[in-house]
Amino acid sequence: QFAILFNGLLLLLFLALFEVLLRRPGTRQQLAPKLPTPERVGILFSRFPGFCAGGFIAWAVQVWRRRRERSDLAPDAQILVRFCELGLKFSLLGTAVSLILLPMYATGPGKAGGFNVLCLSNLKVGGSIRFWCVILAAYMLTSAFGYLVLSEWRIFSQLRRSHFASAASGSRGPVAAQSCRTLMVQEVPLHRWSERDIIAFFEKI
């Protein structure tokens, strides 16, 4: 109970801090530069400007509306967003599994007391058929996590290839295109530091 209360208070504290930072013009521009002004976020925000506009609720609504708009993001940003989504998917799956395991723990034949009723401590000592449900749930969660990670790795490989292909084609500017076709040669002897000697060296090889 103490752990639940402590983590709940920490969540409220960080949400309140995030709300304060989003309402300050300076930090708002750093945290959410694309967050629209209060008069442009809809009827709900115009009706309740003191509660909704410019804070966490406005930010959350905009993030949800633009969750599929990733074409303008850099590859690193896309990977970060997908990593957060992977964590969300796995957390939702774990929550769904816990909806089955927690009632099974709570109705177990053990003699546990307090918060331990909702864990393995409340199952029968010496073996119980309910342990198989726990093992199956562990294997299922492990397999699901492996599947999600492999899926994200394939998407990462596709993003990396498409990023390099677009950069090499010049769609990201001449500097990016040139960097894809540039080699850095190090430890060139001092007596070869001339255009003629370098051209002759590369023509020779």
Side-chain angles (χ1 to χ4, degrees), residues 65-192:
R65 289 177 178 174
R66 305 185 59 181
R67 64 188 185 278
R68 301 300 180 188
E69 299 178 11
R70 299 175 183 170
S71 58
D72 58 338
L73 293 179
D76 293 342
Q78 294 189 45
I79 294 301
L80 177 60
V81 172
R82 296 198 64 88
F83 180 77
C84 294
E85 287 187 347
L86 185 147
L88 176 61
K89 294 175 183 178
F90 188 73
S91 299
L92 292 177
L93 180 60
T95 302
V97 173
S98 67
L99 295 178
I100 301 174
L101 294 180
L102 289 180
M104 186 186 68
Y105 293 151
T107 58
K111 303 297 182 181
F115 196 75
N116 290 329
V117 175
L118 301 177
C119 64
L120 281 170
S121 302
N122 202 39
L123 297 184
K124 183 179 179 179
V125 179
S128 173
I129 192 64
R130 303 191 183 196
F131 275 110
W132 286 106
C133 297
V134 180
I135 295 174
L136 290 176
Y139 275 107
M140 185 184 69
L141 289 175
T142 304
S143 301
F145 183 76
Y147 171 77
L148 291 174
V149 170
L150 290 177
S151 300
E152 292 300 322
W153 173 254
R154 286 192 288 266
I155 294 174
F156 167 73
S157 299
Q158 295 174 2
L159 287 175
R160 183 176 59 179
R161 285 195 296 267
S162 63
H163 174 72
F164 284 132
S166 62
S169 64
S171 60
R172 298 182 180 272
V175 177
Q178 181 64 36
S179 63
C180 294
R181 297 176 171 84
T182 301
L183 294 176
M184 179 179 291
V185 181
Q186 297 179 337
E187 298 183 2
V188 179
L190 293 178
H191 63 279
R192 295 289 185 179

